[in-house]
Amino acid sequence: PFTDEENSKIKAIRNKLENYFNTEIDKFIMGSKHISEYDAFASKLKELGSAELESIYNSAADRFNKSSK
């Protein structure tokens, strides 16, 4: 249910998020990053577009729900 523009944005945002997430989450798991740094980690995910990604998914879900009524 995504538009072509949304698909393009999703691909770009997910690529950035996945690269950062996969690199950094291992540091938390292995203990090289302290849990006190988690808020900075979450902020960086937002900076990289997690909120925009959520908005795209929510918009698509809203369109789908409206069309299926």
Side-chain angles (χ1 to χ4, degrees), residues 5 7 16 18 24 30 36 44 47 49 55 59-60 63-65:
E5 181 182 355
N7 275 322
K16 288 189 293 185
E18 287 173 3
E24 297 300 312
M30 300 304 290
S36 65
K44 181 68 174 179
E47 182 182 314
S55 176
S59 293
R63 282 194 310 272
F64 177 79
N65 290 332

Side-chain angles (χ1 to χ4, degrees), residues 13-27:
I13 294 169
R14 285 190 64 176
N15 187 46
K16 288 189 293 185
L17 289 172
E18 287 173 3
N19 286 336
Y20 179 73
F21 179 87
N22 291 335
T23 300
E24 297 300 312
I25 201 68
D26 288 343
K27 294 175 184 175

Side-chain angles (χ1 to χ4, degrees), residues 2-14:
F2 298 111
T3 66
D4 289 341
E5 181 182 355
E6 288 171 335
N7 275 322
S8 179
K9 284 183 179 182
I10 288 168
K11 184 177 178 180
I13 294 169
R14 285 190 64 176

